[in-house]
Amino acid sequence: MIGLDKITGRITSQAEEDAAQLLATAGEKCSQIEAEADAKIADERKKISDSLISECENIITRAKASAVMQKRNIILKAKCLALETAFENAENQLCALPREKYIPFILRYAGAAVDFTPDVTSCSVKLNAKDRADIGDELIASLSREYPSVVFTLSPGVADISGGALLDFGDTDVDCSVHTLLGLERGDLEPKICSILFEDAFR
C-alpha cells in the first residue's frame, strides 16, 4: 500500500503541476487576448472618433460655404433692388421737373431725333395724358421754332409712358420717353451710381 500511495502521490503531484502550468499558460494567453482586444477596441474607437471629427469638420466647412454664398446672394439682391430703386426715383424726378426744365429736356432729345432723321418734313408728337394737357402746345411751339422746316403736330392719342415723348416721322418712330432715355444712359450711369450707393455699404 505504501508503494501505491507513493505512485498515486507522484501522479497527483505531477497532475497538479501540469494543471498549474496549464492554468498559468492559459492565464497568460487570456491576458494577451484581452490586451489585443483592448488595443483593437481603442484603435476602432480612435478611427470612429477621427471619422466623426472629420465629418463634423466637413459639415462645418459646407455650412460656412453655404452661409457665404447666401450672404453674397442677399447682398447682390439688395444692391440690385437699390439700383433699380435709384433709376425709378430718377425717372420720377425727371417726369416731375418744373415745365421750364421739363420742356427743354424733352426738346433736347426730340431735337436730336430730328437731326438724325434727315429729309423729314412732318412729325407727330405723342405725350402721356398729363403732359399733353399741361405742356403739349408749348412743346409743339418750341419744336417748331427750333426746326422750322418740320411741321410738328400733337397726336390726338395719348402715350402709355411716364414722361417724355414718342415721335412719329411717318416711316420712322423714335422713342424719346424718359424710361427709354434713362435705359440708353444706364450703361454710363450705373458705375457712377454704384460708387455712390455702395462705397461703404455691405462690407
Side-chain angles (χ1 to χ4, degrees):
M1 290 295 295
I2 295 174
L4 182 59
D5 289 339
K6 287 183 178 180
I7 293 172
T8 302
R10 287 176 184 174
I11 293 173
T12 302
S13 177
Q14 185 64 44
E16 288 176 351
E17 289 179 6
D18 291 343
Q21 183 64 37
L22 287 173
L23 289 174
T25 301
E28 291 176 359
K29 189 65 176 177
C30 288
S31 297
Q32 182 181 352
I33 292 172
E34 288 178 355
E36 291 175 353
D38 289 342
K40 187 173 182 180
I41 291 171
D43 184 58
E44 290 299 322
R45 284 177 176 171
K46 185 177 185 305
K47 288 180 180 179
I48 294 172
S49 177
D50 292 343
S51 176
L52 289 174
I53 291 173
S54 178
E55 181 61 25
C56 287
E57 289 176 348
N58 289 336
I59 292 172
I60 292 171
T61 299
R62 291 195 295 270
K64 286 181 177 179
S66 177
V68 169
M69 185 61 67
Q70 289 180 12
K71 178 182 177 182
R72 288 178 179 173
N73 289 337
I74 290 170
I75 291 174
L76 180 60
K77 288 181 181 178
K79 286 184 175 181
C80 289
L81 178 60
L83 192 59
E84 289 302 323
T85 301
F87 275 95
E88 288 176 6
N89 290 339
E91 183 173 342
N92 293 334
Q93 289 175 16
L94 286 172
C95 294
L97 285 172
R99 63 190 305 115
E100 64 271 15
K101 292 183 179 180
Y102 187 46
I103 292 175
F105 170 77
I106 299 176
L107 186 63
R108 172 187 174 188
Y109 289 98
V114 173
D115 289 336
F116 281 101
T117 312
D119 302 326
V120 297
T121 57
S122 65
C123 177
S124 176
V125 181
K126 184 182 287 188
L127 307 173
N128 65 28
K130 179 179 181 302
D131 288 347
R132 190 179 192 282
D134 292 346
I135 64 167
D137 294 336
E138 189 174 347
L139 177 62
I140 294 299
S142 297
L143 284 167
S144 298
R145 284 194 303 270
E146 191 73 22
Y147 299 93
S149 62
V150 181
V151 177
F152 291 93
T153 56
L154 191 60
S155 173
V158 294
D160 185 19
I161 56 177
S162 59
L166 302 180
L167 307 181
D168 182 359
F169 293 105
D171 295 332
T172 306
D173 294 329
V174 180
D175 186 346
C176 290
S177 65
V178 172
H179 183 78
T180 297
L181 295 175
L182 272 177
L184 293 173
E185 299 290 339
R186 185 158 181 158
D188 294 329
L189 292 174
E190 274 193 2
K192 299 175 184 177
I193 294 174
C194 287
S195 66
I196 295 171
L197 291 178
F198 311 131
E199 181 178 4
D200 297 316
F202 307 117
R203 288 184 177 178

